[in-house]
Amino acid sequence: MSENRVLVPFKENGHAHQRCMESALTVAEQTCRARGVRLTNIRRRVLELVWRSHEPVKAYDILARLQDEHSGSAPPTVYRALDFLQTEGMVHKIESLNAYVGCGDPNHMHIGQFLICRDCGAVAEMDDDDVRILLAEKAGNLGFQIDREVIEIKGLCAVCATEKR
Amino acid sequence: MSENRVLVPFKENGHAHQRCMESALTVAEQTCRARGVRLTNIRRRVLELVWRSHEPVKAYDILARLQDEHSGSAPPTVYRALDFLQTEGMVHKIESLNAYVGCGDPNHMHIGQFLICRDCGAVAEMDDDDVRILLAEKAGNLGFQIDREVIEIKGLCAVCATEKR
DNA sequence: AATGATATGTTATAATGTAACAATTTACAG
DNA sequence: CTGTAAATTGTTACATTATAACATATCATT
Ligand SMILES: [Zn+2]
Ligand SMILES: [Zn+2]
Ligand SMILES: [Zn+2]
Ligand SMILES: [Zn+2]
């Protein structure tokens, strides 16, 4: 049985993003409580800042905002929080952009396949078993055992493709 | 009809790497001549340094070697050469490592799927149409049109898996 | 040889990320 | 409670990766 879940859809026109964010924050809180780890103020705030949009957010942009709120913030403040959030599955790093996106599904530990729109910058996350299975097979043909996959796909999202028409 | 070409195999025990490198350099020279672009001394030397092994090479490691040979070298020297080599398809960047690997097939323009061994650091490049087709299909289901793919797979290569046994 | 295009030299700086250690806060056992 | 260890945050410094901007040199063509 295979699965093709879309974890973070592209923003539809006028989608209520406030809800995306609130939902993600709520899930994060529940997840942390269940795991006995602490979603401290800093971590929570960084997660909020990552979720401000569906575009990948840069560490130093997060830092700039933190510094507006609390001058004691420094690079380690942000990177530590991001490390925590990645470990707990609430944030993924987009390697090809040196930027971070929120994940709405921290309970099912995974790293998905990212679709990144060259026009609007929005990112969608798929978590597709067919892709995973095919790659495992192809790698296996070379005797390679997969630990982790970085799959970042650049292109044009549906909304932007429509607008171009 | 689909294709699963292995462009850069994992190094077999005692494989004659000198030949990998010479072959890549020869192809590069021919390709540049055919395209009317110039494989200058710097570019050629950077390509050689990328091909010193099958492990991804860092820009500043290349720079250090260039500086041994010519003190006038600076970061732009390396990054310009790498840009040229990437544009001409002779080098690929591994985004998740900020490092560069040689490609032996600059004529068939592509960016492949990389298998990166966590143990020996070697990288193999696949260029697999099945993977490309499946990803295009899955992305297409979301209305997404693919321009470019970054696929970097971490794991254990066949040689290292055998040694572990 | 003159010319424009390409490539390289040079300096400075931007952007991204980490090491190391001190201070503070939290959890919790006694 | 209160002392203690662990976890978190503060702070400073630095390492790594990459680019901007402009000067100089080289190459290709006339
Ligand atoms: Zn949203
Ligand atoms: Zn995810
Ligand atoms: Zn070789
Ligand atoms: Zn290649």
mmCIF file of all heavy atoms in Angstrom, chain A residues 24-51:
data_model
loop_
_atom_site.group_PDB
_atom_site.id
_atom_site.type_symbol
_atom_site.label_atom_id
_atom_site.label_comp_id
_atom_site.label_asym_id
_atom_site.label_seq_id
_atom_site.Cartn_x
_atom_site.Cartn_y
_atom_site.Cartn_z
ATOM 1 N N ALA A 24 -0.441 24.444 13.264
ATOM 2 C CA ALA A 24 0.914 23.923 13.422
ATOM 3 C C ALA A 24 1.420 24.133 14.846
ATOM 4 O O ALA A 24 2.048 23.247 15.440
ATOM 5 C CB ALA A 24 1.849 24.601 12.426
ATOM 6 N N LEU A 25 1.112 25.311 15.380
ATOM 7 C CA LEU A 25 1.574 25.603 16.743
ATOM 8 C C LEU A 25 0.906 24.693 17.762
ATOM 9 O O LEU A 25 1.548 24.198 18.697
ATOM 10 C CB LEU A 25 1.319 27.074 17.086
ATOM 11 C CG LEU A 25 2.437 28.076 16.789
ATOM 12 C CD1 LEU A 25 3.570 27.925 17.774
ATOM 13 C CD2 LEU A 25 2.955 27.974 15.384
ATOM 14 N N THR A 26 -0.375 24.475 17.564
ATOM 15 C CA THR A 26 -1.104 23.598 18.482
ATOM 16 C C THR A 26 -0.549 22.179 18.434
ATOM 17 O O THR A 26 -0.284 21.560 19.465
ATOM 18 C CB THR A 26 -2.599 23.578 18.104
ATOM 19 O OG1 THR A 26 -3.089 24.908 18.161
ATOM 20 C CG2 THR A 26 -3.381 22.699 19.055
ATOM 21 N N VAL A 27 -0.366 21.678 17.221
ATOM 22 C CA VAL A 27 0.195 20.333 17.072
ATOM 23 C C VAL A 27 1.574 20.261 17.723
ATOM 24 O O VAL A 27 1.912 19.293 18.410
ATOM 25 C CB VAL A 27 0.286 19.943 15.583
ATOM 26 C CG1 VAL A 27 1.089 18.668 15.407
ATOM 27 C CG2 VAL A 27 -1.103 19.797 14.987
ATOM 28 N N ALA A 28 2.374 21.309 17.502
ATOM 29 C CA ALA A 28 3.720 21.321 18.077
ATOM 30 C C ALA A 28 3.657 21.235 19.598
ATOM 31 O O ALA A 28 4.410 20.481 20.228
ATOM 32 C CB ALA A 28 4.460 22.588 17.643
ATOM 33 N N GLU A 29 2.746 21.995 20.173
ATOM 34 C CA GLU A 29 2.637 21.981 21.622
ATOM 35 C C GLU A 29 2.236 20.599 22.147
ATOM 36 O O GLU A 29 2.822 20.076 23.087
ATOM 37 C CB GLU A 29 1.607 23.020 22.079
ATOM 38 C CG GLU A 29 2.230 24.144 22.866
ATOM 39 C CD GLU A 29 1.486 25.458 22.668
ATOM 40 O OE1 GLU A 29 0.248 25.435 22.515
ATOM 41 O OE2 GLU A 29 2.150 26.517 22.652
ATOM 42 N N GLN A 30 1.237 20.034 21.498
ATOM 43 C CA GLN A 30 0.788 18.705 21.909
ATOM 44 C C GLN A 30 1.908 17.682 21.763
ATOM 45 O O GLN A 30 2.135 16.857 22.654
ATOM 46 C CB GLN A 30 -0.415 18.272 21.048
ATOM 47 C CG GLN A 30 -1.660 19.090 21.335
ATOM 48 C CD GLN A 30 -2.751 18.857 20.284
ATOM 49 O OE1 GLN A 30 -2.488 18.272 19.223
ATOM 50 N NE2 GLN A 30 -3.956 19.316 20.569
ATOM 51 N N THR A 31 2.590 17.756 20.641
ATOM 52 C CA THR A 31 3.657 16.792 20.375
ATOM 53 C C THR A 31 4.767 16.891 21.409
ATOM 54 O O THR A 31 5.262 15.890 21.924
ATOM 55 C CB THR A 31 4.235 17.023 18.973
ATOM 56 O OG1 THR A 31 3.178 16.918 18.025
ATOM 57 C CG2 THR A 31 5.306 16.005 18.648
ATOM 58 N N CYS A 32 5.155 18.115 21.711
ATOM 59 C CA CYS A 32 6.214 18.308 22.696
ATOM 60 C C CYS A 32 5.778 17.771 24.060
ATOM 61 O O CYS A 32 6.558 17.093 24.746
ATOM 62 C CB CYS A 32 6.586 19.780 22.802
ATOM 63 S SG CYS A 32 7.595 20.352 21.435
ATOM 64 N N ARG A 33 4.550 18.072 24.424
ATOM 65 C CA ARG A 33 4.069 17.587 25.718
ATOM 66 C C ARG A 33 4.132 16.059 25.737
ATOM 67 O O ARG A 33 4.656 15.461 26.665
ATOM 68 C CB ARG A 33 2.642 18.085 25.979
ATOM 69 C CG ARG A 33 2.302 18.127 27.463
ATOM 70 C CD ARG A 33 0.975 18.853 27.708
ATOM 71 N NE ARG A 33 0.802 20.005 26.839
ATOM 72 C CZ ARG A 33 -0.261 20.200 26.050
ATOM 73 N NH1 ARG A 33 -1.268 19.343 26.061
ATOM 74 N NH2 ARG A 33 -0.328 21.269 25.277
ATOM 75 N N ALA A 34 3.624 15.448 24.664
ATOM 76 C CA ALA A 34 3.607 13.990 24.600
ATOM 77 C C ALA A 34 5.019 13.392 24.671
ATOM 78 O O ALA A 34 5.222 12.309 25.208
ATOM 79 C CB ALA A 34 2.914 13.539 23.312
ATOM 80 N N ARG A 35 5.978 14.094 24.120
ATOM 81 C CA ARG A 35 7.343 13.555 24.082
ATOM 82 C C ARG A 35 8.168 13.951 25.305
ATOM 83 O O ARG A 35 9.325 13.546 25.434
ATOM 84 C CB ARG A 35 8.069 14.065 22.835
ATOM 85 C CG ARG A 35 7.554 13.464 21.560
ATOM 86 C CD ARG A 35 8.319 13.986 20.361
ATOM 87 N NE ARG A 35 7.653 13.570 19.132
ATOM 88 C CZ ARG A 35 7.896 14.108 17.937
ATOM 89 N NH1 ARG A 35 8.792 15.068 17.818
ATOM 90 N NH2 ARG A 35 7.248 13.684 16.873
ATOM 91 N N GLY A 36 7.611 14.818 26.129
ATOM 92 C CA GLY A 36 8.370 15.257 27.297
ATOM 93 C C GLY A 36 9.528 16.169 26.954
ATOM 94 O O GLY A 36 10.542 16.201 27.640
ATOM 95 N N VAL A 37 9.388 16.904 25.851
ATOM 96 C CA VAL A 37 10.400 17.912 25.529
ATOM 97 C C VAL A 37 9.746 19.282 25.632
ATOM 98 O O VAL A 37 8.518 19.393 25.603
ATOM 99 C CB VAL A 37 10.998 17.701 24.115
ATOM 100 C CG1 VAL A 37 11.726 16.370 24.047
ATOM 101 C CG2 VAL A 37 9.906 17.787 23.056
ATOM 102 N N ARG A 38 10.571 20.308 25.728
ATOM 103 C CA ARG A 38 10.021 21.624 26.050
ATOM 104 C C ARG A 38 9.971 22.551 24.843
ATOM 105 O O ARG A 38 10.999 22.845 24.244
ATOM 106 C CB ARG A 38 10.850 22.267 27.168
ATOM 107 C CG ARG A 38 10.731 21.530 28.483
ATOM 108 C CD ARG A 38 11.752 22.032 29.468
ATOM 109 N NE ARG A 38 11.647 23.477 29.628
ATOM 110 C CZ ARG A 38 12.665 24.245 29.963
ATOM 111 N NH1 ARG A 38 13.857 23.723 30.166
ATOM 112 N NH2 ARG A 38 12.492 25.545 30.076
ATOM 113 N N LEU A 39 8.778 23.004 24.537
ATOM 114 C CA LEU A 39 8.625 24.051 23.517
ATOM 115 C C LEU A 39 8.721 25.389 24.246
ATOM 116 O O LEU A 39 7.718 25.986 24.614
ATOM 117 C CB LEU A 39 7.275 23.910 22.804
ATOM 118 C CG LEU A 39 7.075 24.808 21.576
ATOM 119 C CD1 LEU A 39 8.069 24.460 20.490
ATOM 120 C CD2 LEU A 39 5.651 24.691 21.056
ATOM 121 N N THR A 40 9.946 25.826 24.449
ATOM 122 C CA THR A 40 10.172 27.063 25.205
ATOM 123 C C THR A 40 9.699 28.267 24.395
ATOM 124 O O THR A 40 9.334 28.144 23.228
ATOM 125 C CB THR A 40 11.674 27.235 25.502
ATOM 126 O OG1 THR A 40 12.363 27.328 24.258
ATOM 127 C CG2 THR A 40 12.210 26.054 26.279
ATOM 128 N N ASN A 41 9.719 29.438 25.041
ATOM 129 C CA ASN A 41 9.259 30.652 24.362
ATOM 130 C C ASN A 41 10.051 30.906 23.081
ATOM 131 O O ASN A 41 9.479 31.223 22.045
ATOM 132 C CB ASN A 41 9.381 31.861 25.284
ATOM 133 C CG ASN A 41 8.302 31.841 26.354
ATOM 134 O OD1 ASN A 41 7.261 31.181 26.180
ATOM 135 N ND2 ASN A 41 8.542 32.520 27.462
ATOM 136 N N ILE A 42 11.359 30.778 23.186
ATOM 137 C CA ILE A 42 12.197 31.020 22.011
ATOM 138 C C ILE A 42 11.848 30.048 20.896
ATOM 139 O O ILE A 42 11.651 30.432 19.741
ATOM 140 C CB ILE A 42 13.693 30.890 22.377
ATOM 141 C CG1 ILE A 42 14.126 32.059 23.280
ATOM 142 C CG2 ILE A 42 14.541 30.832 21.126
ATOM 143 C CD1 ILE A 42 15.545 31.953 23.766
ATOM 144 N N ARG A 43 11.771 28.788 21.231
ATOM 145 C CA ARG A 43 11.477 27.768 20.213
ATOM 146 C C ARG A 43 10.110 28.003 19.589
ATOM 147 O O ARG A 43 9.944 27.880 18.374
ATOM 148 C CB ARG A 43 11.542 26.377 20.862
ATOM 149 C CG ARG A 43 12.942 25.990 21.255
ATOM 150 C CD ARG A 43 12.956 24.786 22.174
ATOM 151 N NE ARG A 43 14.328 24.388 22.496
ATOM 152 C CZ ARG A 43 14.633 23.453 23.387
ATOM 153 N NH1 ARG A 43 13.675 22.808 24.045
ATOM 154 N NH2 ARG A 43 15.896 23.154 23.619
ATOM 155 N N ARG A 44 9.177 28.336 20.431
ATOM 156 C CA ARG A 44 7.830 28.591 19.938
ATOM 157 C C ARG A 44 7.813 29.803 19.018
ATOM 158 O O ARG A 44 7.199 29.788 17.960
ATOM 159 C CB ARG A 44 6.884 28.833 21.123
ATOM 160 C CG ARG A 44 5.425 28.802 20.761
ATOM 161 C CD ARG A 44 4.540 29.386 21.864
ATOM 162 N NE ARG A 44 3.368 29.964 21.241
ATOM 163 C CZ ARG A 44 2.256 29.290 20.985
ATOM 164 N NH1 ARG A 44 2.165 28.026 21.319
ATOM 165 N NH2 ARG A 44 1.250 29.869 20.379
ATOM 166 N N ARG A 45 8.533 30.808 19.427
ATOM 167 C CA ARG A 45 8.567 32.038 18.625
ATOM 168 C C ARG A 45 9.250 31.788 17.278
ATOM 169 O O ARG A 45 8.796 32.270 16.244
ATOM 170 C CB ARG A 45 9.303 33.131 19.397
ATOM 171 C CG ARG A 45 9.290 34.482 18.723
ATOM 172 C CD ARG A 45 7.905 35.107 18.744
ATOM 173 N NE ARG A 45 7.867 36.355 17.986
ATOM 174 C CZ ARG A 45 7.103 36.552 16.910
ATOM 175 N NH1 ARG A 45 6.291 35.604 16.479
ATOM 176 N NH2 ARG A 45 7.133 37.699 16.271
ATOM 177 N N VAL A 46 10.322 31.021 17.280
ATOM 178 C CA VAL A 46 11.014 30.704 16.029
ATOM 179 C C VAL A 46 10.083 29.892 15.130
ATOM 180 O O VAL A 46 10.001 30.137 13.922
ATOM 181 C CB VAL A 46 12.336 29.946 16.293
ATOM 182 C CG1 VAL A 46 12.907 29.373 15.002
ATOM 183 C CG2 VAL A 46 13.345 30.867 16.950
ATOM 184 N N LEU A 47 9.358 28.967 15.719
ATOM 185 C CA LEU A 47 8.423 28.174 14.914
ATOM 186 C C LEU A 47 7.356 29.070 14.292
ATOM 187 O O LEU A 47 7.008 28.923 13.121
ATOM 188 C CB LEU A 47 7.785 27.092 15.789
ATOM 189 C CG LEU A 47 6.850 26.107 15.070
ATOM 190 C CD1 LEU A 47 7.536 25.428 13.899
ATOM 191 C CD2 LEU A 47 6.312 25.068 16.050
ATOM 192 N N GLU A 48 6.855 30.021 15.087
ATOM 193 C CA GLU A 48 5.889 30.983 14.532
ATOM 194 C C GLU A 48 6.483 31.738 13.351
ATOM 195 O O GLU A 48 5.825 31.931 12.331
ATOM 196 C CB GLU A 48 5.483 32.010 15.595
ATOM 197 C CG GLU A 48 4.418 31.553 16.572
ATOM 198 C CD GLU A 48 4.184 32.599 17.655
ATOM 199 O OE1 GLU A 48 4.712 33.725 17.536
ATOM 200 O OE2 GLU A 48 3.480 32.285 18.627
ATOM 201 N N LEU A 49 7.717 32.165 13.511
ATOM 202 C CA LEU A 49 8.347 32.961 12.455
ATOM 203 C C LEU A 49 8.569 32.115 11.199
ATOM 204 O O LEU A 49 8.453 32.617 10.075
ATOM 205 C CB LEU A 49 9.663 33.567 12.955
ATOM 206 C CG LEU A 49 9.475 34.660 14.012
ATOM 207 C CD1 LEU A 49 10.803 35.064 14.641
ATOM 208 C CD2 LEU A 49 8.772 35.886 13.422
ATOM 209 N N VAL A 50 8.878 30.840 11.382
ATOM 210 C CA VAL A 50 9.015 29.957 10.218
ATOM 211 C C VAL A 50 7.661 29.815 9.514
ATOM 212 O O VAL A 50 7.603 29.742 8.291
ATOM 213 C CB VAL A 50 9.545 28.570 10.639
ATOM 214 C CG1 VAL A 50 9.419 27.576 9.500
ATOM 215 C CG2 VAL A 50 10.993 28.674 11.081
ATOM 216 N N TRP A 51 6.628 29.828 10.304
ATOM 217 C CA TRP A 51 5.280 29.631 9.744
ATOM 218 C C TRP A 51 4.624 30.916 9.257
ATOM 219 O O TRP A 51 3.447 30.900 8.900
ATOM 220 C CB TRP A 51 4.365 28.959 10.774
ATOM 221 C CG TRP A 51 4.410 27.460 10.711
ATOM 222 C CD1 TRP A 51 5.061 26.641 11.579
ATOM 223 C CD2 TRP A 51 3.775 26.611 9.758
ATOM 224 N NE1 TRP A 51 4.883 25.337 11.209
ATOM 225 C CE2 TRP A 51 4.088 25.289 10.105
ATOM 226 C CE3 TRP A 51 2.957 26.839 8.645
ATOM 227 C CZ2 TRP A 51 3.635 24.190 9.372
ATOM 228 C CZ3 TRP A 51 2.501 25.753 7.915
ATOM 229 C CH2 TRP A 51 2.836 24.441 8.277
#
